[in-house]
């Protein structure tokens, strides 16, 4: 699974089909997905959500997510917007909403269900922002696109704040949530199935099977992914030496770090840092 590198701003209407070989990833930007026609599930960070017509999901940057299909012939239509904080933050500040992205980041609600009336209004906004993006790249069009994005973000936050989190949380899902939360808090340390068995008082083979069933990853694949996720952020947002980043992210061998990083990211840590500037 590779990080999806995105421009500062991107908006599109997409028709997508189930793809069993490439449906788990994360972005180096925020993402809004507005599903027009859909009947699927999406696993986001540590929770599984049901997605249907009119649903919206808001993803923070570097959040691991995976689409889950009951039928390999599944086709879904959605509007998608990707944007980076530095692209929209000045406009948010000008609108008096400089803390809005932090509110999204700290929210436990990721999925929003819309009414038919609300859906129609939102679809008009999404069509407008795609049109503005496709206009000639002048300052007026760019400012208009940013203003439209602020309106979309504000409305989504209003809807999100008014709704309770809607997630599929059965017994298995709750177990995996707890395990993922533990991994997220302790990825710098040694983690293996024996340790998780002792921590959660559950047979390690049951943990292994359930984790794979719910997330699509093995436990150790997720641990490695989580560590590389943090390494990528450090490479972009800090000037730390690569060896220090290797240690800070739970690797005790630089060669192993390079091998795992390239497998997941497609490039070495050195090249990843250069591509980000």
């Amino acid at each position: 699974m590779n990080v999806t590198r995105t421009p500062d701003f991107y908006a599109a209407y997409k028709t997508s089909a189930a793809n069993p070989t490439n449906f788990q990833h994360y972005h180096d930007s925020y993402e809004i997905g507005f599903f027009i026609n859909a009947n699927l599930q999406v696993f986001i960070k540590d929770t599984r959500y049901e997605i249907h017509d009119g649903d919206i999901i808001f993803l923070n940057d570097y959040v691991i997510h995976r689409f889950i299909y009951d039928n390999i012939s599944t086709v879904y239509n959605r509007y998608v917007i990707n944007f980076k904080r530095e692209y929209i933050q000045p406009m948010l500040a000008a609108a008096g909403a400089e803390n809005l992205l932090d509110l999204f980041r700290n929210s436990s609600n990721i999925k929003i269900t819309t009414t038919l009336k609300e859906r129609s209004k939102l679809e008009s906004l999404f069509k407008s922002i795609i049109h503005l993006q496709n206009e000639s790249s002048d300052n007026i069009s760019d400012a208009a696109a940013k203003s439209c994005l602020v309106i979309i973000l504000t409305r989504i936050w209003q809807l999100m704040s008014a709704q309770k989190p809607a997630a599929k949380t059965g017994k298995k899902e709750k177990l995996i949530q707890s395990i993922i939360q533990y991994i997220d808090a302790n990825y710098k340390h040694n983690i293996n199935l024996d340790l998780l068995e002792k921590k959660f008082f559950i047979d390690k083979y049951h943990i292994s099977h359930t984790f794979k069933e719910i997330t699509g990853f093995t436990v150790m694949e997720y641990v490695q992914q989580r560590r590389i996720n943090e390494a990528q952020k450090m490479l972009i947002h800090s000037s730390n030496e690569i060896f220090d980043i290797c240690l800070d992210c739970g690797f005790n061998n630089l060669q192993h770090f390079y091998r795992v990083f390239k497998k997941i990211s497609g490039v070495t840590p050195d090249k990843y840092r250069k591509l980000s500037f």
Side-chain angles (χ1 to χ4, degrees), residues 96-114:
E98 59 270 20
N99 296 325
L100 185 56
L101 293 182
D102 295 322
L103 293 175
F104 276 114
R105 186 173 295 281
N106 295 325
S107 174
S108 59
N109 204 0
I110 291 173
K111 173 195 162 183
I112 306 147
T113 300
T114 62

PDB file of all heavy atoms in Angstrom, residues 96-114:
ATOM      1  N   GLY A  96     -12.438  33.802   9.467  1.00  0.00           N
ATOM      2  CA  GLY A  96     -12.633  33.659  10.902  1.00  0.00           C
ATOM      3  C   GLY A  96     -12.810  32.219  11.337  1.00  0.00           C
ATOM      4  O   GLY A  96     -13.397  31.950  12.393  1.00  0.00           O
ATOM      5  N   ALA A  97     -12.320  31.288  10.531  1.00  0.00           N
ATOM      6  CA  ALA A  97     -12.474  29.860  10.829  1.00  0.00           C
ATOM      7  C   ALA A  97     -11.116  29.156  10.819  1.00  0.00           C
ATOM      8  O   ALA A  97     -10.977  28.037  10.342  1.00  0.00           O
ATOM      9  CB  ALA A  97     -13.412  29.210   9.802  1.00  0.00           C
ATOM     10  N   GLU A  98     -10.110  29.830  11.378  1.00  0.00           N
ATOM     11  CA  GLU A  98      -8.745  29.303  11.307  1.00  0.00           C
ATOM     12  C   GLU A  98      -8.566  27.976  12.033  1.00  0.00           C
ATOM     13  O   GLU A  98      -7.633  27.224  11.747  1.00  0.00           O
ATOM     14  CB  GLU A  98      -7.734  30.324  11.837  1.00  0.00           C
ATOM     15  CG  GLU A  98      -7.961  30.754  13.271  1.00  0.00           C
ATOM     16  CD  GLU A  98      -8.866  31.973  13.393  1.00  0.00           C
ATOM     17  OE1 GLU A  98      -9.612  32.265  12.447  1.00  0.00           O
ATOM     18  OE2 GLU A  98      -8.817  32.615  14.457  1.00  0.00           O
ATOM     19  N   ASN A  99      -9.465  27.647  12.973  1.00  0.00           N
ATOM     20  CA  ASN A  99      -9.343  26.396  13.725  1.00  0.00           C
ATOM     21  C   ASN A  99     -10.191  25.255  13.156  1.00  0.00           C
ATOM     22  O   ASN A  99     -10.262  24.181  13.758  1.00  0.00           O
ATOM     23  CB  ASN A  99      -9.754  26.625  15.192  1.00  0.00           C
ATOM     24  CG  ASN A  99      -8.822  27.596  15.896  1.00  0.00           C
ATOM     25  OD1 ASN A  99      -7.626  27.619  15.637  1.00  0.00           O
ATOM     26  ND2 ASN A  99      -9.382  28.407  16.776  1.00  0.00           N
ATOM     27  N   LEU A 100     -10.813  25.463  12.007  1.00  0.00           N
ATOM     28  CA  LEU A 100     -11.762  24.479  11.491  1.00  0.00           C
ATOM     29  C   LEU A 100     -11.116  23.121  11.216  1.00  0.00           C
ATOM     30  O   LEU A 100     -11.670  22.078  11.583  1.00  0.00           O
ATOM     31  CB  LEU A 100     -12.426  25.007  10.215  1.00  0.00           C
ATOM     32  CG  LEU A 100     -13.543  24.132   9.633  1.00  0.00           C
ATOM     33  CD1 LEU A 100     -14.641  23.884  10.672  1.00  0.00           C
ATOM     34  CD2 LEU A 100     -14.130  24.794   8.385  1.00  0.00           C
ATOM     35  N   LEU A 101      -9.944  23.105  10.611  1.00  0.00           N
ATOM     36  CA  LEU A 101      -9.305  21.822  10.305  1.00  0.00           C
ATOM     37  C   LEU A 101      -8.906  21.084  11.580  1.00  0.00           C
ATOM     38  O   LEU A 101      -8.917  19.847  11.610  1.00  0.00           O
ATOM     39  CB  LEU A 101      -8.087  22.031   9.401  1.00  0.00           C
ATOM     40  CG  LEU A 101      -8.398  22.520   7.979  1.00  0.00           C
ATOM     41  CD1 LEU A 101      -7.110  22.646   7.168  1.00  0.00           C
ATOM     42  CD2 LEU A 101      -9.381  21.591   7.269  1.00  0.00           C
ATOM     43  N   ASP A 102      -8.569  21.822  12.618  1.00  0.00           N
ATOM     44  CA  ASP A 102      -8.257  21.177  13.895  1.00  0.00           C
ATOM     45  C   ASP A 102      -9.506  20.562  14.515  1.00  0.00           C
ATOM     46  O   ASP A 102      -9.443  19.512  15.160  1.00  0.00           O
ATOM     47  CB  ASP A 102      -7.631  22.187  14.863  1.00  0.00           C
ATOM     48  CG  ASP A 102      -6.279  22.684  14.380  1.00  0.00           C
ATOM     49  OD1 ASP A 102      -5.522  21.869  13.814  1.00  0.00           O
ATOM     50  OD2 ASP A 102      -5.983  23.878  14.570  1.00  0.00           O
ATOM     51  N   LEU A 103     -10.643  21.199  14.315  1.00  0.00           N
ATOM     52  CA  LEU A 103     -11.907  20.630  14.798  1.00  0.00           C
ATOM     53  C   LEU A 103     -12.196  19.312  14.087  1.00  0.00           C
ATOM     54  O   LEU A 103     -12.602  18.328  14.712  1.00  0.00           O
ATOM     55  CB  LEU A 103     -13.054  21.616  14.565  1.00  0.00           C
ATOM     56  CG  LEU A 103     -13.030  22.909  15.379  1.00  0.00           C
ATOM     57  CD1 LEU A 103     -14.167  23.829  14.957  1.00  0.00           C
ATOM     58  CD2 LEU A 103     -13.122  22.608  16.871  1.00  0.00           C
ATOM     59  N   PHE A 104     -11.976  19.280  12.767  1.00  0.00           N
ATOM     60  CA  PHE A 104     -12.156  18.038  12.020  1.00  0.00           C
ATOM     61  C   PHE A 104     -11.204  16.962  12.535  1.00  0.00           C
ATOM     62  O   PHE A 104     -11.591  15.810  12.717  1.00  0.00           O
ATOM     63  CB  PHE A 104     -11.886  18.268  10.527  1.00  0.00           C
ATOM     64  CG  PHE A 104     -13.061  18.811   9.761  1.00  0.00           C
ATOM     65  CD1 PHE A 104     -13.024  20.083   9.210  1.00  0.00           C
ATOM     66  CD2 PHE A 104     -14.196  18.038   9.573  1.00  0.00           C
ATOM     67  CE1 PHE A 104     -14.105  20.582   8.491  1.00  0.00           C
ATOM     68  CE2 PHE A 104     -15.283  18.527   8.858  1.00  0.00           C
ATOM     69  CZ  PHE A 104     -15.239  19.799   8.314  1.00  0.00           C
ATOM     70  N   ARG A 105      -9.957  17.338  12.772  1.00  0.00           N
ATOM     71  CA  ARG A 105      -8.952  16.357  13.191  1.00  0.00           C
ATOM     72  C   ARG A 105      -9.295  15.741  14.543  1.00  0.00           C
ATOM     73  O   ARG A 105      -9.025  14.566  14.786  1.00  0.00           O
ATOM     74  CB  ARG A 105      -7.568  17.014  13.260  1.00  0.00           C
ATOM     75  CG  ARG A 105      -6.425  16.040  13.545  1.00  0.00           C
ATOM     76  CD  ARG A 105      -5.075  16.709  13.446  1.00  0.00           C
ATOM     77  NE  ARG A 105      -4.795  17.164  12.109  1.00  0.00           N
ATOM     78  CZ  ARG A 105      -4.381  16.392  11.116  1.00  0.00           C
ATOM     79  NH1 ARG A 105      -4.211  15.099  11.318  1.00  0.00           N
ATOM     80  NH2 ARG A 105      -4.123  16.897   9.935  1.00  0.00           N
ATOM     81  N   ASN A 106      -9.893  16.522  15.408  1.00  0.00           N
ATOM     82  CA  ASN A 106     -10.201  16.045  16.756  1.00  0.00           C
ATOM     83  C   ASN A 106     -11.589  15.423  16.879  1.00  0.00           C
ATOM     84  O   ASN A 106     -11.952  14.927  17.941  1.00  0.00           O
ATOM     85  CB  ASN A 106     -10.073  17.209  17.750  1.00  0.00           C
ATOM     86  CG  ASN A 106      -8.651  17.716  17.860  1.00  0.00           C
ATOM     87  OD1 ASN A 106      -7.703  16.946  17.768  1.00  0.00           O
ATOM     88  ND2 ASN A 106      -8.496  19.019  18.041  1.00  0.00           N
ATOM     89  N   SER A 107     -12.344  15.439  15.802  1.00  0.00           N
ATOM     90  CA  SER A 107     -13.704  14.903  15.858  1.00  0.00           C
ATOM     91  C   SER A 107     -13.691  13.376  15.789  1.00  0.00           C
ATOM     92  O   SER A 107     -12.875  12.780  15.080  1.00  0.00           O
ATOM     93  CB  SER A 107     -14.540  15.457  14.697  1.00  0.00           C
ATOM     94  OG  SER A 107     -15.816  14.842  14.660  1.00  0.00           O
ATOM     95  N   SER A 108     -14.602  12.744  16.508  1.00  0.00           N
ATOM     96  CA  SER A 108     -14.737  11.284  16.440  1.00  0.00           C
ATOM     97  C   SER A 108     -15.687  10.877  15.327  1.00  0.00           C
ATOM     98  O   SER A 108     -15.875   9.693  15.053  1.00  0.00           O
ATOM     99  CB  SER A 108     -15.267  10.748  17.777  1.00  0.00           C
ATOM    100  OG  SER A 108     -16.528  11.330  18.077  1.00  0.00           O
ATOM    101  N   ASN A 109     -16.294  11.852  14.667  1.00  0.00           N
ATOM    102  CA  ASN A 109     -17.236  11.585  13.590  1.00  0.00           C
ATOM    103  C   ASN A 109     -16.556  11.800  12.250  1.00  0.00           C
ATOM    104  O   ASN A 109     -15.996  12.867  11.999  1.00  0.00           O
ATOM    105  CB  ASN A 109     -18.462  12.503  13.709  1.00  0.00           C
ATOM    106  CG  ASN A 109     -19.680  11.923  13.030  1.00  0.00           C
ATOM    107  OD1 ASN A 109     -19.609  10.835  12.469  1.00  0.00           O
ATOM    108  ND2 ASN A 109     -20.790  12.636  13.082  1.00  0.00           N
ATOM    109  N   ILE A 110     -16.600  10.820  11.383  1.00  0.00           N
ATOM    110  CA  ILE A 110     -15.958  10.884  10.073  1.00  0.00           C
ATOM    111  C   ILE A 110     -16.983  10.823   8.952  1.00  0.00           C
ATOM    112  O   ILE A 110     -16.811  11.423   7.903  1.00  0.00           O
ATOM    113  CB  ILE A 110     -14.940   9.731   9.931  1.00  0.00           C
ATOM    114  CG1 ILE A 110     -13.756   9.958  10.863  1.00  0.00           C
ATOM    115  CG2 ILE A 110     -14.458   9.586   8.493  1.00  0.00           C
ATOM    116  CD1 ILE A 110     -12.784   8.810  10.914  1.00  0.00           C
ATOM    117  N   LYS A 111     -18.073  10.112   9.206  1.00  0.00           N
ATOM    118  CA  LYS A 111     -19.105   9.917   8.189  1.00  0.00           C
ATOM    119  C   LYS A 111     -20.325  10.792   8.479  1.00  0.00           C
ATOM    120  O   LYS A 111     -20.728  10.941   9.629  1.00  0.00           O
ATOM    121  CB  LYS A 111     -19.529   8.454   8.145  1.00  0.00           C
ATOM    122  CG  LYS A 111     -20.713   8.168   7.237  1.00  0.00           C
ATOM    123  CD  LYS A 111     -21.318   6.814   7.509  1.00  0.00           C
ATOM    124  CE  LYS A 111     -22.715   6.737   6.940  1.00  0.00           C
ATOM    125  NZ  LYS A 111     -23.377   5.457   7.230  1.00  0.00           N
ATOM    126  N   ILE A 112     -20.905  11.356   7.419  1.00  0.00           N
ATOM    127  CA  ILE A 112     -22.088  12.193   7.529  1.00  0.00           C
ATOM    128  C   ILE A 112     -23.151  11.648   6.581  1.00  0.00           C
ATOM    129  O   ILE A 112     -22.856  11.311   5.431  1.00  0.00           O
ATOM    130  CB  ILE A 112     -21.784  13.652   7.139  1.00  0.00           C
ATOM    131  CG1 ILE A 112     -20.605  14.191   7.956  1.00  0.00           C
ATOM    132  CG2 ILE A 112     -22.999  14.537   7.308  1.00  0.00           C
ATOM    133  CD1 ILE A 112     -19.764  15.161   7.217  1.00  0.00           C
ATOM    134  N   THR A 113     -24.387  11.586   7.054  1.00  0.00           N
ATOM    135  CA  THR A 113     -25.523  11.210   6.219  1.00  0.00           C
ATOM    136  C   THR A 113     -26.318  12.463   5.884  1.00  0.00           C
ATOM    137  O   THR A 113     -26.606  13.277   6.772  1.00  0.00           O
ATOM    138  CB  THR A 113     -26.428  10.204   6.959  1.00  0.00           C
ATOM    139  OG1 THR A 113     -25.662   9.034   7.258  1.00  0.00           O
ATOM    140  CG2 THR A 113     -27.620   9.813   6.093  1.00  0.00           C
ATOM    141  N   THR A 114     -26.666  12.636   4.598  1.00  0.00           N
ATOM    142  CA  THR A 114     -27.376  13.842   4.180  1.00  0.00           C
ATOM    143  C   THR A 114     -28.815  13.524   3.762  1.00  0.00           C
ATOM    144  O   THR A 114     -29.115  12.414   3.315  1.00  0.00           O
ATOM    145  CB  THR A 114     -26.659  14.518   2.992  1.00  0.00           C
ATOM    146  OG1 THR A 114     -26.647  13.625   1.871  1.00  0.00           O
ATOM    147  CG2 THR A 114     -25.240  14.886   3.354  1.00  0.00           C
TER     148      THR A 114
END
